[in-house]
Amino acid sequence: MAVACGSWHTLVVGERGGDVFACGRGGQGQLGRGTREHQRTPALVPGLPAVLRRARVVMVAAGGGHSAASTSAGELLVWGLNKSGQLGQGDREDR
């Protein structure tokens, strides 16, 4: 199990590594739920299981308004605030 705490949100990797849960403030999309609502209790980040396929999340990181997960296949998944390009996608679009 892995845990990461950002400025106002927390990410937790489930025991099997396929699920990531998030809670806290979601104003920049950092909870990965497709909304900007806050979440008081840990809730599944819904898009990750479909993206992961056979890989497992091995680590999570949380910034001020953005989140990241790395997988056993060497993939880096990022979401949330991107006003300064902090998601590393070559643009400044929030995801």
Side-chain angles (χ1 to χ4, degrees):
M1 181 181 287
V3 176
C5 299
S7 296
W8 299 100
H9 72 294
T10 301
L11 301 171
V12 178
V13 178
E15 289 183 27
R16 295 183 193 147
D19 295 327
V20 175
F21 299 87
C23 61
R25 293 191 179 183
Q28 283 80 38
Q30 66 268 43
L31 302 183
R33 303 192 45 78
T35 70
R36 295 185 183 270
E37 295 178 15
H38 305 322
Q39 179 70 37
R40 290 185 180 264
T41 59
L44 183 68
V45 176
L48 290 181
V51 173
L52 293 174
R53 297 182 192 133
R54 295 182 189 142
R56 297 175 351 104
V57 172
V58 294
M59 185 173 30
V60 288
H66 59 288
S67 300
S70 63
T71 74
S72 58
E75 299 169 297
L76 177 63
L77 309 168
V78 293
W79 61 94
L81 183 68
N82 194 35
K83 297 295 183 225
S84 301
Q86 61 265 51
L87 297 183
Q89 301 295 309
D91 59 31
R92 294 181 182 196
E93 190 173 321
D94 297 346
R95 291 179 170 73

